[in-house]
Amino acid sequence: MDFSSVKGKVAIVTGASRGIGRAIATVFGEHGMNVVCAARSQEQGQAVADEICEKGGDAIFVRTDCSSPEEIKTLVDAAVSRYGRLDGVVSNAGIGMGGTPLHEYGLDEYEKIFALNSKGVFAGMKYGAEAIFKARSQGGFLINVASIAGLMPQRGQALYTATKFGVVGMTRAAALDYAKYGITVNAICPGYTKTSIFGDAPEQAMDFFASDCPSGRMGDPRECAYLALFLASDMARYITGAAIPVDGALSAGHQNITNWKHPELVTGEKLGAESTIAAILENEAGAAVVEKYLPGFSANEQAKPAYGMTFKALAPILGLPEQVVEAMLAELDAL
C-alpha cells in the first residue's frame, strides 16, 4: 500500500478537534499532507494542529463554526491563503441527536441539527469544490462523514437519520457532477465508534452498542481515518459516489440466532462430549459411538435441526437412562 500520492496535498478537516475528525487530521498529517484543522474549540483544535507539527507534519488551525456557510467560506479562503491551493475537504463536523419519537423533537432542534449536519456539509462541498477547481488539482476529493444512519433508519433518530440520508444523497449526486473532472466524492458511514458523540453514556449503554454490533465491539476512530486516507490517495481515483460503512457489519442486515455446526473451527477444541452433534457424526469413531447408544440416530431426518447442539445438552431430552448418558459422554470424551 503506497500512500506517497497524498504527500503535499492540502486538505481541510472539519470537526478536527476530537473523535473521527481528530483521527483523520492526525493520519493525514502522518502521511505528509498539509492539514487545515477546523473546529469551534480553539484550545482543542489548536492542540491537534500542534501535535501534527510536533510529529514533523504541517498543519494550521482555523476556528470555525461549521454550521455557518460564511465561516466555511472563510475557512476555505484561509487554507488557500496559507498553502496556495486546496486538494480536498473532509466534512466531518456534526452532532448527534436522538432517543425520542419524532413528535417530541422541537423545531429549534430541527434547525440546530440541519444547520450543522446538512447545511454545513453542503457549504464544505460547495466552497471546497470551487477551490479545488481553481487549484487545478489532479487528485481532488470531497469526503463526507455520514453515518450508518444514512444507510438504514434508526428508531428514535428521525432528525439525525434525515440529515445523514441527505449527506449520502448529496455525496452521490455531487459524484455525478464531478466524475468527469477528476474530483472524487465519497461518504464514510461509521457505525458505533468510540467518540464523544456518546457523551456520558453509562457503561451498560456502551455494552449494548458493542453487543448490538455483529463484530462484538465498537469501532476506533482511526479505522475511519485510514479509509479517508485511502480515498484521498491515487489508489482510489476510480472510487466515487460510494457510501462506505465502517461498522463491523451492523448495516449489513438484521441479526438472528444461529448455531454453528463446527465451532471448533474457531475454538480449536478437540472432539469430545462438548462438540456439536454434526462434528461427532462426521467423525468415523464418533459416529460409531452414537450408533452404539442411539441406533438409527444419524438416519433420523427430524434430528438434523439439532446438529448444532451437543449430545450433553440433547441426551437428557431423549429420555435415556442417566447411566447410559454418562457412558456415551465418557466414550465421546475419549475420542
Side-chain angles (χ1 to χ4, degrees), residues 58-245:
D58 192 338
I60 62 170
F61 171 71
V62 179
R63 188 184 182 283
T64 309
D65 177 354
C66 293
S67 66
S68 167
E70 293 77 16
E71 293 197 26
I72 293 285
K73 185 177 186 307
T74 298
L75 168 65
V76 172
D77 291 343
V80 174
S81 176
R82 171 61 183 265
Y83 294 106
R85 60 181 298 107
L86 183 65
D87 295 289
V89 177
V90 179
S91 295
N92 165 76
I95 54 173
M97 186 182 293
T100 62
L102 183 145
H103 70 276
E104 291 188 352
Y105 288 110
L107 293 177
D108 58 331
E109 292 176 301
Y110 175 94
E111 297 292 346
K112 180 180 179 180
I113 196 168
F114 269 84
L116 181 57
N117 291 14
S118 181
K119 185 165 63 175
V121 173
F122 164 71
M125 296 174 73
K126 170 182 168 58
Y127 295 119
E130 290 174 355
I132 293 168
F133 274 119
K134 290 176 182 177
R136 301 293 187 266
S137 175
Q138 296 304 303
F141 62 89
L142 297 172
I143 300 172
N144 299 321
V145 178
S147 166
I148 60 162
L151 303 175
M152 48 181 281
Q154 296 178 311
R155 182 174 60 191
Q157 299 272 352
L159 297 185
Y160 182 74
T161 296
T163 64
K164 295 305 182 178
F165 260 75
V167 168
V168 170
M170 280 195 290
T171 297
R172 289 173 169 160
L176 295 171
D177 290 338
Y178 304 138
K180 180 179 179 180
Y181 306 102
I183 299 175
T184 61
V185 190
N186 293 289
I188 296 174
C189 299
Y192 300 137
T193 306
K194 292 181 181 177
T195 70
S196 58
I197 198 170
F198 287 96
D200 298 321
E203 184 177 347
Q204 184 178 9
M206 298 300 280
D207 289 343
F208 164 77
F209 294 130
S211 64
D212 190 43
C213 186
S215 67
R217 69 174 178 88
M218 296 179 70
D220 183 276
R222 286 180 74 90
E223 292 174 299
C224 291
Y226 285 119
L227 174 57
L229 178 68
F230 174 70
L231 293 174
S233 76
D234 285 354
M235 290 181 285
R237 298 313 301 163
Y238 202 56
I239 300 174
T240 189
I244 306 172

Side-chain angles (χ1 to χ4, degrees), residues 16-18 22 39-50 61:
S17 62
R18 54 189 180 179
R22 177 176 186 144
R40 285 179 297 178
S41 172
Q42 177 75 36
E43 183 178 354
Q44 291 178 318
Q46 187 62 56
V48 175
D50 290 344
F61 171 71

